[in-house]
Amino acid sequence: MGKPSDLLALLPGETVIQEMKGDCSGSFGIVHGAVAGKYWLTNQRILFRGGGIVEATRLVFAVPYTDIVAIEPFRVAYLFPTGIRVVSQKEGGFYLSVMKRKEVMEIIQQQVSRSRGSCGDIFSGT
């Protein structure tokens, strides 16, 4: 069995569109508070690797754009306009907190549309 971060290896034909630091919270069965880490938006998936010293306990996930059913903005702690709620068919809802939220949401929207071969809008809100 490989390390959790093996999940982050790029797939054949996969390229990184944007890399950024941010926080994640939500489903995944183990996360109750925000976990600081790094995001990669690729042409196929959203990748996240949480910080931490112990590899086995880091939050690591990869969500294919084909699994995303909705995205919507939200305010972190009801104050900061940095949050994005992503709803996945398999993982349920989870929350990203990143700078340049509008730009990140547009990239996710474009990649979800491309993965479905359509230009359907999955935004909920503005």
Side-chain angles (χ1 to χ4, degrees):
M1 186 170 166
K3 301 178 294 190
S5 59
D6 290 346
L7 184 63
L8 302 179
L10 294 180
L11 303 172
E14 187 172 25
T15 58
V16 175
I17 297 168
Q18 186 165 339
E19 180 178 323
M20 74 211 92
K21 292 182 179 179
D23 297 337
C24 180
S25 60
S27 305
F28 307 110
I30 57 167
V31 179
H32 298 287
V35 174
K38 189 180 242 184
Y39 285 99
W40 292 269
L41 301 179
T42 76
N43 61 331
Q44 297 181 27
R45 306 176 291 169
I46 298 173
L47 308 174
F48 179 79
R49 180 176 184 236
I53 297 171
V54 181
E55 174 78 16
T57 62
R58 280 190 192 138
L59 173 63
V60 175
F61 69 84
V63 177
Y65 294 117
T66 54
D67 287 349
I68 295 175
V69 295
I71 60 174
E72 61 188 8
F74 80 99
R75 290 186 172 268
V76 175
Y78 300 104
L79 298 172
F80 307 104
T82 60
I84 303 170
R85 180 171 183 257
V86 176
V87 181
S88 165
Q89 293 174 7
K90 295 180 182 173
E91 301 295 340
F94 60 96
Y95 301 89
L96 292 65
S97 179
V98 295
M99 302 304 288
K100 299 183 181 179
R101 171 177 74 181
K102 183 177 179 180
E103 178 183 326
V104 171
M105 287 182 72
E106 287 172 357
I107 292 170
I108 294 170
Q109 172 66 43
Q110 289 169 354
Q111 295 308 311
V112 168
S113 294
R114 187 171 291 134
S115 73
R116 293 181 179 162
S118 69
C119 44
D121 192 354
I122 60 165
F123 278 123
S124 270
T126 56

